[in-house]
């Protein structure tokens, strides 16, 4: 299913999609880069808001709330100081996997992806932008 990277926007009230990768179109939800959605309604937003349940589990699973038949799993992306700065998710048809199977099958590679992004962020933070003259 499609995967996305998002950050909080609108003073924490919304989720803004900053990157997206989609396989074949399998969902009717067409979420383009730049799209903003209410943070509480998405798995990405729940991770970014550090809602207690998502914070304790280290992920958020949203089941058919944004769209019927759509299940979404998200994990946080941390900066060097350990603050949640973004989140990544995978969306899929609810019929393809149970919620339990999502956690079993998709959560480990999703966490691995977040870890790679965190490594890239750490590397990038070591460099300062060169001022243009």
């Amino acid at each position: 299913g499609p995967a996305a990277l998002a950050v909080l926007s609108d003073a924490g009230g919304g989720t803004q999609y900053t990157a997206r990768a989609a396989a074949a179109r399998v969902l009717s939800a067409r979420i383009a880069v730049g799209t903003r959605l209410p943070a509480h309604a998405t798995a990405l937003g729940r991770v970014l808001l550090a809602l207690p349940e998502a914070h304790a589990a280290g992920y958020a699973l949203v089941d058919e709330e944004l769209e019927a038949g759509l299940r979404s799993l998200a994990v946080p992306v941390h900066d060097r100081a350990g603050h949640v700065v973004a989140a990544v998710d995978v969306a899929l048809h609810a019929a393809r996997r149970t919620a339990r199977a999502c956690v079993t099958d998709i959560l480990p590679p999703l966490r691995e992806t977040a870890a790679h992004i965190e490594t890239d962020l750490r590397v990038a933070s070591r460099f300062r932008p060169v001022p243009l003259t």
Side-chain angles (χ1 to χ4, degrees), residues 40-107:
H40 63 84
T42 66
L44 286 164
R46 291 180 189 184
V47 168
L48 288 167
L49 290 172
L51 293 172
E53 187 178 342
H55 187 70
Y59 68 91
L61 178 69
V62 169
D63 224 358
E64 303 193 75
E65 290 183 37
L66 197 60
E67 178 182 330
L70 178 66
R71 185 170 282 147
S72 182
L73 182 69
V75 297
V77 174
H78 302 88
D79 65 9
R80 289 183 81 158
H83 302 119
V84 175
V85 292
V88 287
D89 87 335
V90 171
L92 64 153
H93 280 302
R96 290 187 61 191
R97 275 188 177 86
T98 64
R100 183 186 295 269
C102 281
V103 174
T104 303
D105 302 342
I106 298 174
L107 186 58

